[in-house]
Amino acid sequence: MGSPEIERDEPVTPAGRLFLRPEMDQIINCVIGAKNPFEVDAVKKEMANSMMLKHPRFCSLMVRDRHGREYWRKTEIEIDRHFIILNDSLDGDDDEDAVNGYLADLAVSSPLSTDKPLWEIHFLTAHKCAVVRIHHALGDGISLMSLLLACFRRSDCPDQLPTMGSSSQPKPRNSRRRNRLWELLNIAWFTLVFVVEFILRSLWVKDRKTTVSGGAGVELWPRKLATAKFLLDDMKTVKNAIPNGTINDVLFGVISAGLSRYLDHRSPNKLQEGIQITGVAMVNLRKQPGLQEMAELMQSKSGSRWGNKFGMLLLPVYYHKGLVDPLDYIKKAKTMIDRKKQSLEAYFSYKIGYFVMNFLGSKIACVLNYRIVCNTTFTISNVLGPREEITIVGNPVTYIRANSTGLPHAITMHMVSYAGRADLQILVAKDIIPDPKFLAKCFEEALLEMKEAAAEATSRS
């Protein structure tokens, strides 16, 4: 009889090691609102049999060897240690205020314990929601949303999983045949320009200081959190008014218009027209855009394998003092995004990070990434959620929102769409941006103005 096979520790991926550095320690907080308070025992039973707890990352400890190298070590899950139940009401004017205040506190003061796998769920019973906390070393937003949705069911078809939408848009069949040489030249040129800019941002080039700028050490400052709420139909109305427009074009147009409006309020007549405000965005590099089928993500040899597989893009928006046509914000954003799409910046940023992690170590990689964040102004992400309404253990889900722990940015923004709505979580350093609700209102009003302008443009055509 052979001896039992010894399960070896698995090295943490380079991107995972980066997120475990103290300076870049990142936890994703996903809050799930429900129609009724969660029945914790029912959720516990569902989770115990879910794909989530069958995944090796969610039943492994993060350990370090004597050289400080990080590994995943399989362990037995004690599910009760991962469930935190709070029955008392939290301070706040309403449920949204109370939950956002709780999330803001988690963003700076509650690391995950390393004596258990790096995830936990907080049940806020009085506010009918649950906060799923997962360390970024376990995976990126696409991986984690895919895994999370595998625990849910559609409201209209309780036996079916939620629809995992795609952000891709079909391209004309002959689009790649036309001007192939010119297209290759554009790719080469824009890649060169943007990769050089990316490298310079990791060294010394930085945004000009404004009233929304962060900097080194700001990741430790107290936070506030507000929610900007959009209807996807409104975003689609605006998108359809822009030739070949996308939801991301609309989002960045809204960010540009909203930040311009907020800066006018905070520092009127003090900013130069057209000043650049640079955002950092994480871009999915898997072959299939959008949410990934779990079976494919679980296959280690798949091109869509589980983990952190994203590149970094620098996405500038510009301050403008009241453009005559609100749609001009989107047109300018679209021009910038289209150029980024023609480059390989995200791919090269991923490869540069991989090279630095493997050959220079996590400390140098962390310093370079930290400098990029310090030299820019905000973080932005956009993750596609379920198209239809969903339930968990029969309890209808009313919203899905996400944010991460603090970065040196004074503003981090994360948008998640769900059943025709899109909620943008705006996490701010409250000593720099004391009024995030007003900032959220600036974004919401910007979209409504764009919707009116789009309706007028459609009626004239």
Short mmCIF file of all heavy atoms in Angstrom, two decimals, residues 253-280:
data_model
loop_
_atom_site.label_atom_id
_atom_site.label_comp_id
_atom_site.label_asym_id
_atom_site.label_seq_id
_atom_site.Cartn_x
_atom_site.Cartn_y
_atom_site.Cartn_z
N GLY A 253 -16.98 60.01 -19.44
CA GLY A 253 -17.54 61.34 -19.66
C GLY A 253 -18.20 61.87 -18.41
O GLY A 253 -18.05 63.06 -18.04
N VAL A 254 -18.93 61.01 -17.69
CA VAL A 254 -19.58 61.39 -16.44
C VAL A 254 -18.53 61.74 -15.38
O VAL A 254 -18.67 62.73 -14.65
CB VAL A 254 -20.49 60.24 -15.94
CG1 VAL A 254 -20.92 60.48 -14.50
CG2 VAL A 254 -21.71 60.12 -16.85
N ILE A 255 -17.45 60.94 -15.30
CA ILE A 255 -16.38 61.23 -14.34
C ILE A 255 -15.76 62.60 -14.63
O ILE A 255 -15.54 63.41 -13.72
CB ILE A 255 -15.30 60.13 -14.38
CG1 ILE A 255 -15.87 58.77 -13.97
CG2 ILE A 255 -14.11 60.51 -13.50
CD1 ILE A 255 -16.41 58.71 -12.58
N SER A 256 -15.47 62.87 -15.91
CA SER A 256 -14.87 64.14 -16.30
C SER A 256 -15.79 65.31 -15.96
O SER A 256 -15.36 66.31 -15.35
CB SER A 256 -14.55 64.13 -17.79
OG SER A 256 -13.98 65.36 -18.20
N ALA A 257 -17.07 65.19 -16.33
CA ALA A 257 -18.02 66.28 -16.06
C ALA A 257 -18.25 66.45 -14.56
O ALA A 257 -18.30 67.58 -14.05
CB ALA A 257 -19.34 66.00 -16.77
N GLY A 258 -18.39 65.32 -13.85
CA GLY A 258 -18.65 65.40 -12.41
C GLY A 258 -17.49 65.98 -11.63
O GLY A 258 -17.68 66.80 -10.73
N LEU A 259 -16.27 65.55 -11.97
CA LEU A 259 -15.09 66.10 -11.29
C LEU A 259 -14.93 67.58 -11.60
O LEU A 259 -14.55 68.37 -10.72
CB LEU A 259 -13.83 65.33 -11.70
CG LEU A 259 -13.63 63.96 -11.04
CD1 LEU A 259 -12.39 63.28 -11.61
CD2 LEU A 259 -13.50 64.09 -9.52
N SER A 260 -15.18 67.99 -12.84
CA SER A 260 -15.09 69.41 -13.20
C SER A 260 -16.08 70.22 -12.38
O SER A 260 -15.75 71.30 -11.85
CB SER A 260 -15.37 69.59 -14.70
OG SER A 260 -14.36 68.99 -15.49
N ARG A 261 -17.30 69.71 -12.24
CA ARG A 261 -18.32 70.41 -11.46
C ARG A 261 -17.90 70.50 -9.99
O ARG A 261 -18.08 71.54 -9.35
CB ARG A 261 -19.65 69.66 -11.60
CG ARG A 261 -20.82 70.33 -10.92
CD ARG A 261 -22.11 69.56 -11.18
NE ARG A 261 -22.36 69.42 -12.60
CZ ARG A 261 -23.56 69.29 -13.13
NH1 ARG A 261 -24.62 69.28 -12.36
NH2 ARG A 261 -23.71 69.16 -14.43
N TYR A 262 -17.36 69.41 -9.47
CA TYR A 262 -16.95 69.40 -8.05
C TYR A 262 -15.78 70.35 -7.82
O TYR A 262 -15.76 71.09 -6.82
CB TYR A 262 -16.57 67.98 -7.64
CG TYR A 262 -16.18 67.87 -6.19
CD1 TYR A 262 -17.15 67.80 -5.19
CD2 TYR A 262 -14.84 67.85 -5.80
CE1 TYR A 262 -16.81 67.73 -3.85
CE2 TYR A 262 -14.48 67.78 -4.46
CZ TYR A 262 -15.47 67.72 -3.49
OH TYR A 262 -15.11 67.65 -2.17
N LEU A 263 -14.81 70.36 -8.73
CA LEU A 263 -13.67 71.25 -8.58
C LEU A 263 -14.09 72.71 -8.68
O LEU A 263 -13.52 73.57 -8.00
CB LEU A 263 -12.60 70.92 -9.63
CG LEU A 263 -11.85 69.60 -9.40
CD1 LEU A 263 -11.04 69.22 -10.63
CD2 LEU A 263 -10.94 69.71 -8.18
N ASP A 264 -15.08 73.01 -9.51
CA ASP A 264 -15.62 74.38 -9.57
C ASP A 264 -16.19 74.79 -8.22
O ASP A 264 -16.06 75.95 -7.80
CB ASP A 264 -16.72 74.47 -10.64
CG ASP A 264 -16.16 74.83 -12.00
OD1 ASP A 264 -15.02 75.31 -12.06
OD2 ASP A 264 -16.86 74.63 -13.00
N HIS A 265 -16.83 73.82 -7.56
CA HIS A 265 -17.43 74.10 -6.25
C HIS A 265 -16.35 74.31 -5.17
O HIS A 265 -16.47 75.22 -4.35
CB HIS A 265 -18.34 72.92 -5.86
CG HIS A 265 -18.80 72.94 -4.44
ND1 HIS A 265 -19.76 73.84 -3.97
CD2 HIS A 265 -18.44 72.17 -3.36
CE1 HIS A 265 -19.96 73.62 -2.68
NE2 HIS A 265 -19.18 72.63 -2.28
N ARG A 266 -15.31 73.46 -5.20
CA ARG A 266 -14.28 73.50 -4.16
C ARG A 266 -13.24 74.59 -4.38
O ARG A 266 -12.71 75.17 -3.42
CB ARG A 266 -13.58 72.14 -4.07
CG ARG A 266 -14.40 71.03 -3.44
CD ARG A 266 -14.56 71.20 -1.94
NE ARG A 266 -13.29 71.30 -1.25
CZ ARG A 266 -12.53 70.26 -0.91
NH1 ARG A 266 -12.93 69.02 -1.20
NH2 ARG A 266 -11.40 70.44 -0.28
N SER A 267 -12.91 74.86 -5.64
CA SER A 267 -11.84 75.83 -5.92
C SER A 267 -12.21 76.65 -7.16
O SER A 267 -11.58 76.51 -8.21
CB SER A 267 -10.50 75.12 -6.11
OG SER A 267 -10.63 74.06 -7.05
N PRO A 268 -13.26 77.48 -7.07
CA PRO A 268 -13.70 78.25 -8.24
C PRO A 268 -12.63 79.21 -8.74
O PRO A 268 -11.94 79.85 -7.95
CB PRO A 268 -14.93 79.00 -7.72
CG PRO A 268 -14.75 79.04 -6.23
CD PRO A 268 -14.04 77.78 -5.88
N ASN A 269 -12.50 79.25 -10.07
CA ASN A 269 -11.59 80.20 -10.74
C ASN A 269 -10.13 80.01 -10.39
O ASN A 269 -9.31 80.91 -10.56
CB ASN A 269 -12.00 81.66 -10.43
CG ASN A 269 -13.44 81.94 -10.80
OD1 ASN A 269 -13.90 81.53 -11.87
ND2 ASN A 269 -14.15 82.62 -9.92
N LYS A 270 -9.76 78.84 -9.87
CA LYS A 270 -8.37 78.61 -9.49
C LYS A 270 -7.65 77.61 -10.38
O LYS A 270 -6.43 77.47 -10.30
CB LYS A 270 -8.30 78.13 -8.03
CG LYS A 270 -8.69 79.19 -7.01
CD LYS A 270 -8.52 78.68 -5.60
CE LYS A 270 -8.90 79.74 -4.57
NZ LYS A 270 -8.77 79.22 -3.18
N LEU A 271 -8.40 76.90 -11.21
CA LEU A 271 -7.80 75.86 -12.03
C LEU A 271 -7.70 76.28 -13.49
O LEU A 271 -8.58 76.95 -14.02
CB LEU A 271 -8.62 74.56 -11.93
CG LEU A 271 -8.58 73.83 -10.59
CD1 LEU A 271 -9.43 72.57 -10.65
CD2 LEU A 271 -7.16 73.46 -10.20
N GLN A 272 -6.63 75.82 -14.11
CA GLN A 272 -6.42 76.11 -15.52
C GLN A 272 -7.33 75.22 -16.36
O GLN A 272 -7.47 74.03 -16.11
CB GLN A 272 -4.95 75.85 -15.87
CG GLN A 272 -4.61 76.08 -17.33
CD GLN A 272 -3.16 75.72 -17.61
OE1 GLN A 272 -2.36 75.57 -16.69
NE2 GLN A 272 -2.83 75.58 -18.88
N GLU A 273 -7.96 75.80 -17.36
CA GLU A 273 -8.82 75.04 -18.27
C GLU A 273 -8.03 73.92 -18.93
O GLU A 273 -6.92 74.11 -19.41
CB GLU A 273 -9.40 75.98 -19.34
CG GLU A 273 -10.25 75.32 -20.41
CD GLU A 273 -11.60 74.87 -19.88
OE1 GLU A 273 -11.98 75.29 -18.76
OE2 GLU A 273 -12.29 74.13 -20.60
N GLY A 274 -8.61 72.72 -18.93
CA GLY A 274 -7.98 71.58 -19.59
C GLY A 274 -6.95 70.85 -18.76
O GLY A 274 -6.26 69.96 -19.28
N ILE A 275 -6.82 71.16 -17.46
CA ILE A 275 -5.85 70.48 -16.62
C ILE A 275 -6.15 68.97 -16.59
O ILE A 275 -7.31 68.56 -16.52
CB ILE A 275 -5.83 71.07 -15.20
CG1 ILE A 275 -4.68 70.48 -14.38
CG2 ILE A 275 -7.15 70.84 -14.48
CD1 ILE A 275 -4.50 71.13 -13.02
N GLN A 276 -5.11 68.16 -16.65
CA GLN A 276 -5.28 66.70 -16.70
C GLN A 276 -5.43 66.13 -15.30
O GLN A 276 -4.69 66.46 -14.38
CB GLN A 276 -4.08 66.05 -17.39
CG GLN A 276 -4.16 64.53 -17.47
CD GLN A 276 -3.05 63.92 -18.29
OE1 GLN A 276 -2.70 64.43 -19.36
NE2 GLN A 276 -2.49 62.82 -17.82
N ILE A 277 -6.43 65.24 -15.15
CA ILE A 277 -6.67 64.51 -13.92
C ILE A 277 -6.63 63.03 -14.30
O ILE A 277 -7.53 62.54 -14.98
CB ILE A 277 -8.04 64.88 -13.30
CG1 ILE A 277 -8.15 66.40 -13.11
CG2 ILE A 277 -8.27 64.15 -11.99
CD1 ILE A 277 -9.56 66.88 -12.86
N THR A 278 -5.60 62.33 -13.88
CA THR A 278 -5.34 60.98 -14.39
C THR A 278 -5.90 59.91 -13.47
O THR A 278 -5.68 59.94 -12.26
CB THR A 278 -3.83 60.76 -14.57
OG1 THR A 278 -3.28 61.84 -15.32
CG2 THR A 278 -3.57 59.44 -15.29
N GLY A 279 -6.60 58.97 -14.07
CA GLY A 279 -7.12 57.83 -13.35
C GLY A 279 -6.32 56.58 -13.66
O GLY A 279 -5.66 56.48 -14.69
N VAL A 280 -6.36 55.62 -12.73
CA VAL A 280 -5.75 54.31 -12.92
C VAL A 280 -6.87 53.29 -13.01
O VAL A 280 -7.73 53.23 -12.12
CB VAL A 280 -4.79 53.96 -11.77
CG1 VAL A 280 -4.24 52.55 -11.94
CG2 VAL A 280 -3.65 54.96 -11.70
#
